[in-house]
PDB file of all heavy atoms in Angstrom:
ATOM      1  N   VAL A 158       5.076   5.146 -12.729  1.00 98.00           N
ATOM      2  CA  VAL A 158       6.515   4.962 -12.859  1.00 98.00           C
ATOM      3  C   VAL A 158       6.823   5.127 -14.346  1.00 98.00           C
ATOM      4  O   VAL A 158       6.246   4.441 -15.183  1.00 98.00           O
ATOM      5  CB  VAL A 158       6.954   3.564 -12.374  1.00 98.00           C
ATOM      6  CG1 VAL A 158       8.422   3.314 -12.696  1.00 98.00           C
ATOM      7  CG2 VAL A 158       6.693   3.415 -10.876  1.00 98.00           C
ATOM      8  N   ILE A 159       7.696   6.054 -14.675  1.00 97.00           N
ATOM      9  CA  ILE A 159       8.085   6.297 -16.069  1.00 97.00           C
ATOM     10  C   ILE A 159       9.229   5.372 -16.455  1.00 97.00           C
ATOM     11  O   ILE A 159       9.217   4.749 -17.506  1.00 97.00           O
ATOM     12  CB  ILE A 159       8.476   7.772 -16.283  1.00 97.00           C
ATOM     13  CG1 ILE A 159       7.312   8.702 -15.895  1.00 97.00           C
ATOM     14  CG2 ILE A 159       8.942   8.010 -17.715  1.00 97.00           C
ATOM     15  CD1 ILE A 159       6.024   8.472 -16.662  1.00 97.00           C
ATOM     16  N   ASP A 160      10.232   5.308 -15.611  1.00 97.00           N
ATOM     17  CA  ASP A 160      11.359   4.394 -15.783  1.00 97.00           C
ATOM     18  C   ASP A 160      11.978   4.199 -14.408  1.00 97.00           C
ATOM     19  O   ASP A 160      11.443   4.706 -13.418  1.00 97.00           O
ATOM     20  CB  ASP A 160      12.365   4.905 -16.835  1.00 97.00           C
ATOM     21  CG  ASP A 160      12.931   6.273 -16.506  1.00 97.00           C
ATOM     22  OD1 ASP A 160      13.224   6.555 -15.317  1.00 97.00           O
ATOM     23  OD2 ASP A 160      13.088   7.086 -17.435  1.00 97.00           O
ATOM     24  N   ASP A 161      13.094   3.500 -14.311  1.00 97.00           N
ATOM     25  CA  ASP A 161      13.629   3.198 -12.978  1.00 97.00           C
ATOM     26  C   ASP A 161      14.273   4.390 -12.281  1.00 97.00           C
ATOM     27  O   ASP A 161      14.723   4.274 -11.148  1.00 97.00           O
ATOM     28  CB  ASP A 161      14.573   1.994 -13.016  1.00 97.00           C
ATOM     29  CG  ASP A 161      15.843   2.234 -13.799  1.00 97.00           C
ATOM     30  OD1 ASP A 161      16.028   3.328 -14.370  1.00 97.00           O
ATOM     31  OD2 ASP A 161      16.670   1.304 -13.844  1.00 97.00           O
ATOM     32  N   GLU A 162      14.272   5.556 -12.931  1.00 98.00           N
ATOM     33  CA  GLU A 162      14.800   6.771 -12.316  1.00 98.00           C
ATOM     34  C   GLU A 162      13.782   7.906 -12.262  1.00 98.00           C
ATOM     35  O   GLU A 162      14.115   9.008 -11.814  1.00 98.00           O
ATOM     36  CB  GLU A 162      16.033   7.258 -13.084  1.00 98.00           C
ATOM     37  CG  GLU A 162      17.181   6.272 -13.060  1.00 98.00           C
ATOM     38  CD  GLU A 162      18.374   6.751 -13.872  1.00 98.00           C
ATOM     39  OE1 GLU A 162      18.196   7.595 -14.770  1.00 98.00           O
ATOM     40  OE2 GLU A 162      19.476   6.280 -13.596  1.00 98.00           O
ATOM     41  N   THR A 163      12.549   7.654 -12.702  1.00 98.00           N
ATOM     42  CA  THR A 163      11.577   8.741 -12.823  1.00 98.00           C
ATOM     43  C   THR A 163      10.171   8.280 -12.487  1.00 98.00           C
ATOM     44  O   THR A 163       9.737   7.221 -12.947  1.00 98.00           O
ATOM     45  CB  THR A 163      11.560   9.293 -14.274  1.00 98.00           C
ATOM     46  OG1 THR A 163      12.894   9.513 -14.717  1.00 98.00           O
ATOM     47  CG2 THR A 163      10.758  10.583 -14.370  1.00 98.00           C
ATOM     48  N   VAL A 164       9.462   9.098 -11.687  1.00 98.00           N
ATOM     49  CA  VAL A 164       8.033   8.894 -11.454  1.00 98.00           C
ATOM     50  C   VAL A 164       7.304  10.151 -11.915  1.00 98.00           C
ATOM     51  O   VAL A 164       7.889  11.237 -12.011  1.00 98.00           O
ATOM     52  CB  VAL A 164       7.697   8.573  -9.979  1.00 98.00           C
ATOM     53  CG1 VAL A 164       8.346   7.254  -9.555  1.00 98.00           C
ATOM     54  CG2 VAL A 164       8.087   9.699  -9.052  1.00 98.00           C
ATOM     55  N   TYR A 165       6.023   9.990 -12.210  1.00 97.00           N
ATOM     56  CA  TYR A 165       5.177  11.100 -12.642  1.00 97.00           C
ATOM     57  C   TYR A 165       4.028  11.253 -11.663  1.00 97.00           C
ATOM     58  O   TYR A 165       3.399  10.267 -11.266  1.00 97.00           O
ATOM     59  CB  TYR A 165       4.623  10.830 -14.041  1.00 97.00           C
ATOM     60  CG  TYR A 165       3.746  11.947 -14.555  1.00 97.00           C
ATOM     61  CD1 TYR A 165       4.308  13.090 -15.105  1.00 97.00           C
ATOM     62  CD2 TYR A 165       2.366  11.861 -14.483  1.00 97.00           C
ATOM     63  CE1 TYR A 165       3.504  14.124 -15.573  1.00 97.00           C
ATOM     64  CE2 TYR A 165       1.558  12.883 -14.946  1.00 97.00           C
ATOM     65  CZ  TYR A 165       2.133  14.021 -15.488  1.00 97.00           C
ATOM     66  OH  TYR A 165       1.346  15.042 -15.943  1.00 97.00           O
ATOM     67  N   LEU A 166       3.757  12.500 -11.269  1.00 98.00           N
ATOM     68  CA  LEU A 166       2.656  12.837 -10.370  1.00 98.00           C
ATOM     69  C   LEU A 166       1.780  13.864 -11.078  1.00 98.00           C
ATOM     70  O   LEU A 166       2.241  14.944 -11.436  1.00 98.00           O
ATOM     71  CB  LEU A 166       3.189  13.405  -9.055  1.00 98.00           C
ATOM     72  CG  LEU A 166       4.203  12.529  -8.321  1.00 98.00           C
ATOM     73  CD1 LEU A 166       4.824  13.280  -7.164  1.00 98.00           C
ATOM     74  CD2 LEU A 166       3.571  11.249  -7.847  1.00 98.00           C
ATOM     75  N   SER A 167       0.518  13.512 -11.276  1.00 96.00           N
ATOM     76  CA  SER A 167      -0.395  14.370 -12.021  1.00 96.00           C
ATOM     77  C   SER A 167      -0.965  15.478 -11.146  1.00 96.00           C
ATOM     78  O   SER A 167      -1.272  15.267  -9.976  1.00 96.00           O
ATOM     79  CB  SER A 167      -1.529  13.528 -12.604  1.00 96.00           C
ATOM     80  OG  SER A 167      -2.371  14.331 -13.389  1.00 96.00           O
ATOM     81  N   ASP A 168      -1.107  16.648 -11.744  1.00 95.00           N
ATOM     82  CA  ASP A 168      -1.650  17.827 -11.060  1.00 95.00           C
ATOM     83  C   ASP A 168      -3.096  18.058 -11.450  1.00 95.00           C
ATOM     84  O   ASP A 168      -3.392  18.386 -12.592  1.00 95.00           O
ATOM     85  CB  ASP A 168      -0.817  19.062 -11.413  1.00 95.00           C
ATOM     86  CG  ASP A 168      -1.449  20.373 -10.967  1.00 95.00           C
ATOM     87  OD1 ASP A 168      -2.328  20.355 -10.084  1.00 95.00           O
ATOM     88  OD2 ASP A 168      -1.041  21.420 -11.502  1.00 95.00           O
ATOM     89  N   GLN A 169      -3.974  17.888 -10.482  1.00 93.00           N
ATOM     90  CA  GLN A 169      -5.359  18.297 -10.637  1.00 93.00           C
ATOM     91  C   GLN A 169      -5.662  19.455  -9.694  1.00 93.00           C
ATOM     92  O   GLN A 169      -6.463  20.311 -10.008  1.00 93.00           O
ATOM     93  CB  GLN A 169      -6.339  17.150 -10.316  1.00 93.00           C
ATOM     94  CG  GLN A 169      -6.454  16.108 -11.395  1.00 93.00           C
ATOM     95  CD  GLN A 169      -5.206  15.259 -11.488  1.00 93.00           C
ATOM     96  OE1 GLN A 169      -4.557  15.269 -12.517  1.00 93.00           O
ATOM     97  NE2 GLN A 169      -4.844  14.548 -10.446  1.00 93.00           N
ATOM     98  N   PHE A 170      -5.006  19.448  -8.529  1.00 91.00           N
ATOM     99  CA  PHE A 170      -5.336  20.409  -7.483  1.00 91.00           C
ATOM    100  C   PHE A 170      -4.117  21.063  -6.854  1.00 91.00           C
ATOM    101  O   PHE A 170      -4.222  21.609  -5.758  1.00 91.00           O
ATOM    102  CB  PHE A 170      -6.160  19.712  -6.387  1.00 91.00           C
ATOM    103  CG  PHE A 170      -7.378  19.007  -6.918  1.00 91.00           C
ATOM    104  CD1 PHE A 170      -7.432  17.624  -6.939  1.00 91.00           C
ATOM    105  CD2 PHE A 170      -8.444  19.719  -7.413  1.00 91.00           C
ATOM    106  CE1 PHE A 170      -8.546  16.963  -7.432  1.00 91.00           C
ATOM    107  CE2 PHE A 170      -9.563  19.076  -7.913  1.00 91.00           C
ATOM    108  CZ  PHE A 170      -9.614  17.696  -7.919  1.00 91.00           C
ATOM    109  N   PHE A 171      -2.954  21.001  -7.483  1.00 94.00           N
ATOM    110  CA  PHE A 171      -1.773  21.636  -6.905  1.00 94.00           C
ATOM    111  C   PHE A 171      -2.015  23.145  -6.826  1.00 94.00           C
ATOM    112  O   PHE A 171      -2.371  23.763  -7.818  1.00 94.00           O
ATOM    113  CB  PHE A 171      -0.528  21.413  -7.767  1.00 94.00           C
ATOM    114  CG  PHE A 171      -0.013  20.003  -7.838  1.00 94.00           C
ATOM    115  CD1 PHE A 171       1.066  19.711  -8.654  1.00 94.00           C
ATOM    116  CD2 PHE A 171      -0.570  18.971  -7.118  1.00 94.00           C
ATOM    117  CE1 PHE A 171       1.571  18.422  -8.742  1.00 94.00           C
ATOM    118  CE2 PHE A 171      -0.083  17.675  -7.196  1.00 94.00           C
ATOM    119  CZ  PHE A 171       1.004  17.412  -8.023  1.00 94.00           C
ATOM    120  N   LYS A 172      -1.863  23.711  -5.697  1.00 94.00           N
ATOM    121  CA  LYS A 172      -1.922  25.165  -5.533  1.00 94.00           C
ATOM    122  C   LYS A 172      -0.645  25.581  -4.814  1.00 94.00           C
ATOM    123  O   LYS A 172       0.266  26.117  -5.423  1.00 94.00           O
ATOM    124  CB  LYS A 172      -3.169  25.589  -4.769  1.00 94.00           C
ATOM    125  CG  LYS A 172      -3.322  27.089  -4.689  1.00 94.00           C
ATOM    126  CD  LYS A 172      -4.621  27.502  -4.052  1.00 94.00           C
ATOM    127  CE  LYS A 172      -4.718  29.009  -4.077  1.00 94.00           C
ATOM    128  NZ  LYS A 172      -6.017  29.463  -3.609  1.00 94.00           N
ATOM    129  N   LYS A 173      -0.574  25.263  -3.504  1.00 95.00           N
ATOM    130  CA  LYS A 173       0.657  25.531  -2.770  1.00 95.00           C
ATOM    131  C   LYS A 173       1.800  24.704  -3.349  1.00 95.00           C
ATOM    132  O   LYS A 173       2.932  25.179  -3.427  1.00 95.00           O
ATOM    133  CB  LYS A 173       0.474  25.238  -1.282  1.00 95.00           C
ATOM    134  CG  LYS A 173      -0.494  26.181  -0.585  1.00 95.00           C
ATOM    135  CD  LYS A 173      -0.655  25.828   0.879  1.00 95.00           C
ATOM    136  CE  LYS A 173      -1.493  24.578   0.991  1.00 95.00           C
ATOM    137  NZ  LYS A 173      -1.784  24.162   2.361  1.00 95.00           N
ATOM    138  N   THR A 174       1.472  23.492  -3.763  1.00 96.00           N
ATOM    139  CA  THR A 174       2.495  22.603  -4.326  1.00 96.00           C
ATOM    140  C   THR A 174       3.140  23.229  -5.549  1.00 96.00           C
ATOM    141  O   THR A 174       4.370  23.267  -5.663  1.00 96.00           O
ATOM    142  CB  THR A 174       1.868  21.239  -4.674  1.00 96.00           C
ATOM    143  OG1 THR A 174       1.371  20.653  -3.477  1.00 96.00           O
ATOM    144  CG2 THR A 174       2.865  20.317  -5.335  1.00 96.00           C
ATOM    145  N   LEU A 175       2.330  23.737  -6.470  1.00 95.00           N
ATOM    146  CA  LEU A 175       2.864  24.356  -7.680  1.00 95.00           C
ATOM    147  C   LEU A 175       3.663  25.609  -7.351  1.00 95.00           C
ATOM    148  O   LEU A 175       4.748  25.825  -7.905  1.00 95.00           O
ATOM    149  CB  LEU A 175       1.737  24.672  -8.669  1.00 95.00           C
ATOM    150  CG  LEU A 175       2.168  25.288  -9.992  1.00 95.00           C
ATOM    151  CD1 LEU A 175       3.208  24.429 -10.707  1.00 95.00           C
ATOM    152  CD2 LEU A 175       0.948  25.506 -10.877  1.00 95.00           C
ATOM    153  N   ALA A 176       3.160  26.416  -6.435  1.00 95.00           N
ATOM    154  CA  ALA A 176       3.902  27.617  -6.025  1.00 95.00           C
ATOM    155  C   ALA A 176       5.259  27.222  -5.449  1.00 95.00           C
ATOM    156  O   ALA A 176       6.283  27.845  -5.760  1.00 95.00           O
ATOM    157  CB  ALA A 176       3.095  28.422  -5.006  1.00 95.00           C
ATOM    158  N   ASN A 177       5.270  26.165  -4.629  1.00 96.00           N
ATOM    159  CA  ASN A 177       6.538  25.705  -4.061  1.00 96.00           C
ATOM    160  C   ASN A 177       7.491  25.226  -5.144  1.00 96.00           C
ATOM    161  O   ASN A 177       8.689  25.518  -5.116  1.00 96.00           O
ATOM    162  CB  ASN A 177       6.299  24.574  -3.062  1.00 96.00           C
ATOM    163  CG  ASN A 177       5.682  25.052  -1.773  1.00 96.00           C
ATOM    164  OD1 ASN A 177       5.465  26.243  -1.570  1.00 96.00           O
ATOM    165  ND2 ASN A 177       5.384  24.118  -0.902  1.00 96.00           N
ATOM    166  N   LEU A 178       6.970  24.451  -6.090  1.00 96.00           N
ATOM    167  CA  LEU A 178       7.820  23.919  -7.155  1.00 96.00           C
ATOM    168  C   LEU A 178       8.457  25.031  -7.977  1.00 96.00           C
ATOM    169  O   LEU A 178       9.583  24.877  -8.462  1.00 96.00           O
ATOM    170  CB  LEU A 178       7.004  23.001  -8.066  1.00 96.00           C
ATOM    171  CG  LEU A 178       6.571  21.678  -7.453  1.00 96.00           C
ATOM    172  CD1 LEU A 178       5.559  20.990  -8.353  1.00 96.00           C
ATOM    173  CD2 LEU A 178       7.766  20.791  -7.188  1.00 96.00           C
ATOM    174  N   GLN A 179       7.751  26.130  -8.136  1.00 95.00           N
ATOM    175  CA  GLN A 179       8.302  27.250  -8.890  1.00 95.00           C
ATOM    176  C   GLN A 179       9.454  27.911  -8.145  1.00 95.00           C
ATOM    177  O   GLN A 179      10.337  28.503  -8.757  1.00 95.00           O
ATOM    178  CB  GLN A 179       7.195  28.255  -9.212  1.00 95.00           C
ATOM    179  CG  GLN A 179       6.210  27.691 -10.207  1.00 95.00           C
ATOM    180  CD  GLN A 179       4.941  28.505 -10.344  1.00 95.00           C
ATOM    181  OE1 GLN A 179       4.582  29.306  -9.486  1.00 95.00           O
ATOM    182  NE2 GLN A 179       4.236  28.285 -11.439  1.00 95.00           N
ATOM    183  N   GLU A 180       9.469  27.788  -6.824  1.00 96.00           N
ATOM    184  CA  GLU A 180      10.544  28.349  -6.008  1.00 96.00           C
ATOM    185  C   GLU A 180      11.655  27.340  -5.726  1.00 96.00           C
ATOM    186  O   GLU A 180      12.808  27.718  -5.547  1.00 96.00           O
ATOM    187  CB  GLU A 180       9.997  28.830  -4.659  1.00 96.00           C
ATOM    188  CG  GLU A 180       9.074  30.012  -4.750  1.00 96.00           C
ATOM    189  CD  GLU A 180       8.600  30.473  -3.371  1.00 96.00           C
ATOM    190  OE1 GLU A 180       9.268  30.176  -2.353  1.00 96.00           O
ATOM    191  OE2 GLU A 180       7.559  31.137  -3.323  1.00 96.00           O
ATOM    192  N   ASN A 181      11.266  26.054  -5.614  1.00 97.00           N
ATOM    193  CA  ASN A 181      12.205  25.047  -5.138  1.00 97.00           C
ATOM    194  C   ASN A 181      11.811  23.686  -5.727  1.00 97.00           C
ATOM    195  O   ASN A 181      10.817  23.104  -5.306  1.00 97.00           O
ATOM    196  CB  ASN A 181      12.157  25.003  -3.607  1.00 97.00           C
ATOM    197  CG  ASN A 181      13.013  23.917  -3.020  1.00 97.00           C
ATOM    198  OD1 ASN A 181      13.816  23.283  -3.690  1.00 97.00           O
ATOM    199  ND2 ASN A 181      12.834  23.672  -1.725  1.00 97.00           N
ATOM    200  N   PRO A 182      12.576  23.159  -6.663  1.00 97.00           N
ATOM    201  CA  PRO A 182      12.197  21.902  -7.300  1.00 97.00           C
ATOM    202  C   PRO A 182      12.556  20.634  -6.513  1.00 97.00           C
ATOM    203  O   PRO A 182      12.237  19.528  -6.945  1.00 97.00           O
ATOM    204  CB  PRO A 182      12.963  21.935  -8.620  1.00 97.00           C
ATOM    205  CG  PRO A 182      14.205  22.696  -8.279  1.00 97.00           C
ATOM    206  CD  PRO A 182      13.757  23.751  -7.293  1.00 97.00           C
ATOM    207  N   LYS A 183      13.191  20.774  -5.364  1.00 98.00           N
ATOM    208  CA  LYS A 183      13.555  19.591  -4.558  1.00 98.00           C
ATOM    209  C   LYS A 183      12.312  19.075  -3.842  1.00 98.00           C
ATOM    210  O   LYS A 183      11.596  19.841  -3.187  1.00 98.00           O
ATOM    211  CB  LYS A 183      14.639  19.929  -3.543  1.00 98.00           C
ATOM    212  CG  LYS A 183      15.975  20.263  -4.189  1.00 98.00           C
ATOM    213  CD  LYS A 183      16.502  19.067  -4.950  1.00 98.00           C
ATOM    214  CE  LYS A 183      17.906  19.298  -5.452  1.00 98.00           C
ATOM    215  NZ  LYS A 183      18.397  18.167  -6.212  1.00 98.00           N
ATOM    216  N   VAL A 184      12.057  17.765  -3.987  1.00 98.00           N
ATOM    217  CA  VAL A 184      10.824  17.177  -3.464  1.00 98.00           C
ATOM    218  C   VAL A 184      11.089  15.832  -2.801  1.00 98.00           C
ATOM    219  O   VAL A 184      12.172  15.259  -2.936  1.00 98.00           O
ATOM    220  CB  VAL A 184       9.777  16.994  -4.589  1.00 98.00           C
ATOM    221  CG1 VAL A 184       9.449  18.322  -5.258  1.00 98.00           C
ATOM    222  CG2 VAL A 184      10.248  15.978  -5.626  1.00 98.00           C
ATOM    223  N   SER A 185      10.044  15.346  -2.139  1.00 98.00           N
ATOM    224  CA  SER A 185      10.056  14.021  -1.552  1.00 98.00           C
ATOM    225  C   SER A 185       8.697  13.387  -1.806  1.00 98.00           C
ATOM    226  O   SER A 185       7.675  14.072  -1.816  1.00 98.00           O
ATOM    227  CB  SER A 185      10.316  14.131  -0.050  1.00 98.00           C
ATOM    228  OG  SER A 185      10.292  12.866   0.561  1.00 98.00           O
ATOM    229  N   VAL A 186       8.713  12.082  -2.032  1.00 98.00           N
ATOM    230  CA  VAL A 186       7.478  11.320  -2.228  1.00 98.00           C
ATOM    231  C   VAL A 186       7.554  10.122  -1.293  1.00 98.00           C
ATOM    232  O   VAL A 186       8.544   9.379  -1.317  1.00 98.00           O
ATOM    233  CB  VAL A 186       7.337  10.826  -3.685  1.00 98.00           C
ATOM    234  CG1 VAL A 186       6.046  10.046  -3.864  1.00 98.00           C
ATOM    235  CG2 VAL A 186       7.420  11.994  -4.666  1.00 98.00           C
ATOM    236  N   ILE A 187       6.529   9.947  -0.461  1.00 98.00           N
ATOM    237  CA  ILE A 187       6.527   8.817   0.466  1.00 98.00           C
ATOM    238  C   ILE A 187       5.287   7.967   0.220  1.00 98.00           C
ATOM    239  O   ILE A 187       4.221   8.497  -0.121  1.00 98.00           O
ATOM    240  CB  ILE A 187       6.625   9.280   1.937  1.00 98.00           C
ATOM    241  CG1 ILE A 187       6.923   8.108   2.857  1.00 98.00           C
ATOM    242  CG2 ILE A 187       5.393  10.044   2.360  1.00 98.00           C
ATOM    243  CD1 ILE A 187       7.394   8.509   4.241  1.00 98.00           C
ATOM    244  N   PHE A 188       5.461   6.653   0.356  1.00 98.00           N
ATOM    245  CA  PHE A 188       4.355   5.729   0.125  1.00 98.00           C
ATOM    246  C   PHE A 188       4.605   4.457   0.926  1.00 98.00           C
ATOM    247  O   PHE A 188       5.741   4.122   1.240  1.00 98.00           O
ATOM    248  CB  PHE A 188       4.182   5.421  -1.370  1.00 98.00           C
ATOM    249  CG  PHE A 188       5.444   5.014  -2.068  1.00 98.00           C
ATOM    250  CD1 PHE A 188       5.724   3.682  -2.308  1.00 98.00           C
ATOM    251  CD2 PHE A 188       6.367   5.969  -2.486  1.00 98.00           C
ATOM    252  CE1 PHE A 188       6.891   3.301  -2.944  1.00 98.00           C
ATOM    253  CE2 PHE A 188       7.537   5.604  -3.131  1.00 98.00           C
ATOM    254  CZ  PHE A 188       7.798   4.259  -3.362  1.00 98.00           C
ATOM    255  N   TRP A 189       3.512   3.776   1.275  1.00 97.00           N
ATOM    256  CA  TRP A 189       3.622   2.602   2.123  1.00 97.00           C
ATOM    257  C   TRP A 189       2.421   1.701   1.979  1.00 97.00           C
ATOM    258  O   TRP A 189       1.356   2.110   1.534  1.00 97.00           O
ATOM    259  CB  TRP A 189       3.772   3.019   3.583  1.00 97.00           C
ATOM    260  CG  TRP A 189       2.560   3.708   4.119  1.00 97.00           C
ATOM    261  CD1 TRP A 189       1.514   3.124   4.783  1.00 97.00           C
ATOM    262  CD2 TRP A 189       2.237   5.092   4.008  1.00 97.00           C
ATOM    263  NE1 TRP A 189       0.569   4.063   5.102  1.00 97.00           N
ATOM    264  CE2 TRP A 189       0.988   5.291   4.627  1.00 97.00           C
ATOM    265  CE3 TRP A 189       2.887   6.190   3.438  1.00 97.00           C
ATOM    266  CZ2 TRP A 189       0.376   6.528   4.696  1.00 97.00           C
ATOM    267  CZ3 TRP A 189       2.269   7.427   3.508  1.00 97.00           C
ATOM    268  CH2 TRP A 189       1.041   7.590   4.132  1.00 97.00           C
ATOM    269  N   LYS A 190       2.637   0.472   2.365  1.00 97.00           N
ATOM    270  CA  LYS A 190       1.570  -0.518   2.487  1.00 97.00           C
ATOM    271  C   LYS A 190       2.056  -1.518   3.521  1.00 97.00           C
ATOM    272  O   LYS A 190       3.136  -2.105   3.354  1.00 97.00           O
ATOM    273  CB  LYS A 190       1.294  -1.212   1.159  1.00 97.00           C
ATOM    274  CG  LYS A 190       0.176  -2.246   1.258  1.00 97.00           C
ATOM    275  CD  LYS A 190      -0.096  -2.874  -0.086  1.00 97.00           C
ATOM    276  CE  LYS A 190      -1.185  -3.922   0.060  1.00 97.00           C
ATOM    277  NZ  LYS A 190      -1.399  -4.637  -1.197  1.00 97.00           N
ATOM    278  N   GLY A 191       1.274  -1.706   4.568  1.00 95.00           N
ATOM    279  CA  GLY A 191       1.708  -2.590   5.633  1.00 95.00           C
ATOM    280  C   GLY A 191       3.024  -2.106   6.217  1.00 95.00           C
ATOM    281  O   GLY A 191       3.169  -0.939   6.550  1.00 95.00           O
ATOM    282  N   ASN A 192       3.990  -3.004   6.307  1.00 92.00           N
ATOM    283  CA  ASN A 192       5.301  -2.634   6.844  1.00 92.00           C
ATOM    284  C   ASN A 192       6.312  -2.268   5.764  1.00 92.00           C
ATOM    285  O   ASN A 192       7.485  -2.076   6.075  1.00 92.00           O
ATOM    286  CB  ASN A 192       5.855  -3.765   7.718  1.00 92.00           C
ATOM    287  CG  ASN A 192       5.134  -3.851   9.041  1.00 92.00           C
ATOM    288  OD1 ASN A 192       4.668  -2.845   9.570  1.00 92.00           O
ATOM    289  ND2 ASN A 192       5.032  -5.046   9.583  1.00 92.00           N
ATOM    290  N   ASP A 193       5.883  -2.198   4.522  1.00 96.00           N
ATOM    291  CA  ASP A 193       6.758  -1.742   3.441  1.00 96.00           C
ATOM    292  C   ASP A 193       6.532  -0.249   3.241  1.00 96.00           C
ATOM    293  O   ASP A 193       5.393   0.182   3.017  1.00 96.00           O
ATOM    294  CB  ASP A 193       6.450  -2.477   2.132  1.00 96.00           C
ATOM    295  CG  ASP A 193       6.852  -3.934   2.174  1.00 96.00           C
ATOM    296  OD1 ASP A 193       7.822  -4.270   2.881  1.00 96.00           O
ATOM    297  OD2 ASP A 193       6.195  -4.736   1.492  1.00 96.00           O
ATOM    298  N   ALA A 194       7.591   0.521   3.327  1.00 98.00           N
ATOM    299  CA  ALA A 194       7.472   1.970   3.181  1.00 98.00           C
ATOM    300  C   ALA A 194       8.767   2.537   2.613  1.00 98.00           C
ATOM    301  O   ALA A 194       9.863   2.121   3.014  1.00 98.00           O
ATOM    302  CB  ALA A 194       7.158   2.611   4.522  1.00 98.00           C
ATOM    303  N   TYR A 195       8.607   3.474   1.687  1.00 98.00           N
ATOM    304  CA  TYR A 195       9.770   4.075   1.034  1.00 98.00           C
ATOM    305  C   TYR A 195       9.571   5.573   0.865  1.00 98.00           C
ATOM    306  O   TYR A 195       8.439   6.065   0.776  1.00 98.00           O
ATOM    307  CB  TYR A 195      10.011   3.452  -0.348  1.00 98.00           C
ATOM    308  CG  TYR A 195      10.305   1.985  -0.253  1.00 98.00           C
ATOM    309  CD1 TYR A 195       9.313   1.043  -0.486  1.00 98.00           C
ATOM    310  CD2 TYR A 195      11.563   1.535   0.125  1.00 98.00           C
ATOM    311  CE1 TYR A 195       9.563  -0.312  -0.370  1.00 98.00           C
ATOM    312  CE2 TYR A 195      11.828   0.185   0.247  1.00 98.00           C
ATOM    313  CZ  TYR A 195      10.831  -0.731  -0.002  1.00 98.00           C
ATOM    314  OH  TYR A 195      11.083  -2.072   0.129  1.00 98.00           O
TER     315      TYR A 195
END
């Protein structure tokens, strides 16, 4: 978490992901633990 409006995701193995980002910067990030999910 960088700040309350920004997260950072590190690239070690992005291949299709990087190609997609170059075409379309709109993304989604999902995460969960137990019954908490966002």
Side-chain angles (χ1 to χ4, degrees):
V158 172
I159 302 301
D160 58 40
D161 66 358
E162 297 178 338
T163 313
V164 297
Y165 180 81
L166 305 171
S167 183
D168 169 19
Q169 284 71 242
F170 306 109
F171 292 177
K172 185 174 183 174
K173 293 179 286 183
T174 298
L175 182 55
N177 287 357
L178 290 169
Q179 291 168 341
E180 293 182 22
N181 175 11
K183 293 297 188 182
V184 302
S185 178
V186 180
I187 192 165
F188 50 99
W189 65 93
K190 180 178 178 185
N192 287 329
D193 290 330
Y195 298 99

